Amino acid sequence: MSRSRLYNTQAIILRRVDMGEADRLLTILTPARGKMKVMAKGVRKLTSRKTGHVELFTRVQFVLAQGHTFDVASQADTIEPYVQLREDVQRATLAHYVCELADAFAQEETDESELYELLANALQWLCSASDPQLAVRYVEMRLLTLTGYRPQLYRCAKTSVPIDVDAAVSKSIIFSAYAGGVLSPDAAKFARDGVALMPQTLNLLRAMLSQPFEALSALHIPADVHFQAERALRSVLAFVLERKLRSAQFLKQLT
Amino acid sequence: MNKTSSLPPSVARLIDAFAQLPGIGPKSASRLAYHLLRAPLEHSMMLADALRDLKARTKLCSRCYNITESDPCEICMDEKRDQSLICVVEEPLDVSAIERVRSFNGVFHVLHGVISPMNGLGPDDLKINELIARIAKQATSDEPVREIILATNPTLEGENTAAFIQRKLAASKVSVSRLARGLPVGGDLEYADEVTLSRALEGRQQLR
């Protein structure tokens, strides 16, 4: 029996590149097929029926037609446009970063339903959260967990000795991306890299592993805790991806 | 091994050069090269001259950053134009699009891109600081800038760039406007997306 040429899928638009006279090549994340490249023909024309539906970071219901090189967008209907991202440069810059992260981790021809759900939630949090930076930290931690790179935060990543936050009130705790998590004071002496964390920062990172974002979003996070959590998570991401993300360099400038 | 290696070096070189152009693949590049090979000599010479002049004669206008052969460009030098009304566009091609309408009598400022962190483009890579400096410089002249029209594309990056410029100009006395957004001529309401429809409703016009 021949397979139907058309199929339906939800997707989030991660990237787009102009092609030819009026086409765009979209990089999309789908729940069941992972990351895909899809051709949207004629969408740069003002009269195209699909133009507004295939905007960057929009969640879309697609009807796609199988093609030789790329599948082609036959129909597109917006599910969620995340309008606030268009009006707020700071939140949009964070959305660029989150989508570039998702693009870096997503696989093709793979079930990425958990990553898809995380990204859809992340874009919603970026639209509405009072502290969008916290939403980004949360997404970084959940992404590392989903992809199997969750940092060890309860025991020393080298010696497996339990790390007691209360006992470290007066000291800082060393977090090593190379070792894969926090280090005991003895192991920290021989660490190749390290980010010093205050106990509050370690508590925040631990809470990100166990709590839903809604439970954390009400917290007021001091600037130094934010800074340390960002440095720790970025160091793991840079270690795992072996590169820095392009959008990351603009976060300081635009947020 | 390069597929064009069995060809005469001059043909292979032209095919490789065409293949560097956006939207041109190796097959199209070969077709173009063979077309020129068969075409009369004057066609090829005309193309060669046009390519040489493109780089040799053109430069950016020091006022509006549009591509020009004379600095300042013809639009900036036109005394009939309103120098206090500046239309900010993304690319030089957008200047041509607005000029085709023949109803805009102000001048332009070309940004040469939009803020796109994922593509490595930040505000410092665009001509935004030059726009701010132009407004400040003109403030002491006979014709200070009265209005800035933000005519970036209605894409996410275009909207963000417009919002960024608006934020930068918040302290100045210059009026800032944005091109109207909504339904295109010949469009179909049934197929409009939520953002376009909501913008069209916001920008509705009183008829009586």
Side-chain angles (χ1 to χ4, degrees):
Chain A
M1 205 172 92
S2 69
R3 216 172 136 202
S4 170
R5 209 176 143 253
L6 294 174
Y7 62 96
N8 282 286
T9 182
Q10 274 196 22
I12 295 171
I13 320 270
L14 300 178
R15 270 176 198 276
R16 50 149 198 239
V17 184
D18 291 350
M19 297 281 279
E21 283 284 312
D23 306 339
R24 278 195 173 126
L25 183 63
L26 312 174
T27 304
I28 61 173
L29 181 69
T30 67
R33 295 171 186 240
K35 190 167 70 170
M36 295 175 70
K37 285 200 190 300
V38 166
M39 187 61 83
K41 291 191 182 252
V43 291
R44 281 152 64 206
K45 290 180 187 163
L46 282 179
T47 48
S48 166
R49 288 168 176 177
K50 293 191 281 285
T51 306
H53 299 283
V54 293
E55 257 301 285
L56 214 50
F57 313 148
T58 304
R59 191 147 68 95
V60 188
Q61 181 68 47
F62 272 119
V63 176
L64 298 174
Q66 287 175 354
H68 280 296
T69 311
F70 302 113
D71 288 359
V72 178
S74 172
Q75 288 175 40
D77 274 305
T78 304
I79 300 170
E80 177 55 61
Y82 304 110
V83 180
Q84 291 85 343
L85 300 179
R86 288 168 162 257
E87 289 148 6
D88 189 323
V89 186
Q90 179 189 1
R91 288 175 194 266
T93 307
L94 294 171
H96 274 277
Y97 172 71
V98 166
C99 283
E100 197 179 353
L101 262 184
D103 187 9
F105 278 100
Q107 303 290 316
E108 294 178 8
E109 310 263 330
T110 308
D111 184 323
E112 292 283 19
S113 46
E114 286 181 297
L115 177 58
Y116 180 84
E117 195 185 334
L118 175 65
L119 186 60
N121 284 333
L123 293 171
Q124 193 58 58
W125 296 331
L126 286 176
C127 286
S128 56
S130 56
D131 184 352
Q133 294 277 0
L134 180 63
V136 173
R137 297 291 85 76
Y138 189 83
V139 172
E140 288 171 333
M141 181 63 94
R142 302 306 296 186
L143 196 55
L144 288 169
T145 305
L146 270 182
T147 49
Y149 296 104
R150 183 177 68 191
Q152 174 57 264
L153 299 174
Y154 289 90
R155 290 174 176 274
C156 171
K158 283 275 187 199
T159 62
S160 296
V161 173
I163 303 289
D164 184 358
V165 175
D166 294 333
V169 169
S170 59
K171 301 177 213 162
S172 61
I173 303 143
I174 298 300
F175 178 93
S176 163
Y178 185 80
V182 288
L183 297 173
S184 64
D186 289 339
K189 289 174 194 165
F190 305 100
R192 291 173 58 162
D193 63 331
V195 176
L197 304 182
M198 296 184 296
Q200 300 96 301
T201 313
L202 183 55
N203 276 333
L204 174 67
L205 294 174
R206 285 179 175 181
M208 285 177 180
L209 290 178
S210 58
Q211 302 285 323
F213 177 71
E214 289 72 18
L216 300 178
S217 60
L219 299 175
H220 171 70
I221 312 293
D224 49 357
V225 173
H226 249 311
F227 178 70
Q228 288 183 348
E230 180 183 337
R231 278 194 65 200
L233 289 167
R234 286 277 175 80
S235 66
V236 183
L237 289 166
F239 181 77
V240 171
L241 295 173
E242 296 182 344
R243 67 184 168 96
K244 285 189 176 172
L245 299 179
R246 271 178 156 184
S247 52
Q249 62 178 307
F250 296 104
L251 292 175
K252 283 276 178 286
Q253 198 179 349
L254 291 168
T255 60
Chain B
M1 203 171 133
N2 193 336
K3 276 185 180 177
T4 57
S5 60
S6 60
L7 298 169
S10 52
V11 178
R13 208 173 125 219
L14 186 61
I15 292 173
D16 287 345
F18 277 133
Q20 304 287 319
L21 298 175
I24 305 280
K27 282 269 189 296
S28 303
S30 302
R31 269 197 291 273
L32 290 171
Y34 276 99
H35 168 79
L36 287 174
L37 207 58
R38 290 191 208 103
L41 179 66
E42 50 269 30
H43 282 199
S44 305
M45 294 315 291
M46 202 168 66
L47 181 67
D49 287 346
L51 284 174
R52 195 178 305 113
D53 286 355
L54 182 74
K55 279 292 177 188
R57 292 197 185 173
T58 58
K59 52 192 144 190
L60 293 185
C61 171
S62 57
R63 275 191 212 167
C64 70
Y65 295 92
N66 193 10
I67 293 165
T68 178
E69 287 194 6
S70 58
D71 184 21
C73 68
E74 281 179 21
I75 295 176
C76 288
M77 289 300 284
D78 189 344
E79 288 180 359
K80 289 180 191 154
R81 284 183 174 263
D82 183 353
Q83 299 284 338
S84 68
L85 179 63
I86 300 179
C87 180
V88 179
V89 295
E90 288 180 18
E91 300 290 349
L93 277 174
D94 300 333
V95 173
S96 313
I98 293 176
E99 281 295 279
R100 277 202 301 272
V101 181
R102 294 182 189 175
S103 62
F104 177 69
N105 193 39
V107 290
F108 293 91
H109 189 91
V110 185
L111 296 173
H112 290 274
V114 275
I115 296 172
S116 178
M118 225 188 273
N119 295 317
L121 278 173
D124 293 344
D125 301 303
L126 312 176
K127 304 292 181 191
I128 295 176
N129 290 332
E130 286 79 353
L131 174 67
I132 310 292
R134 182 178 174 185
I135 295 167
K137 190 178 170 190
Q138 224 168 302
T140 54
S141 71
D142 299 341
E143 214 170 359
V145 178
R146 136 181 89 80
E147 183 178 349
I148 294 288
I149 303 171
L150 296 173
T152 51
N153 289 333
T155 58
L156 184 125
E157 296 99 323
E159 302 272 22
N160 285 166
T161 307
F164 182 83
I165 295 172
Q166 192 184 350
R167 204 170 70 186
K168 278 266 183 185
L169 294 173
S172 85
K173 289 175 184 166
V174 178
S175 159
V176 181
S177 59
R178 180 94 174 97
L179 283 191
R181 292 156 291 179
L183 298 167
V185 174
D188 198 329
L189 206 71
E190 184 189 348
Y191 293 101
D193 62 289
E194 288 86 335
V195 180
T196 305
L197 262 180
S198 66
R199 296 275 155 81
L201 281 169
E202 281 165 20
R204 69 186 185 278
Q205 289 183 348
Q206 196 83 39
L207 294 179
R208 55 175 292 245

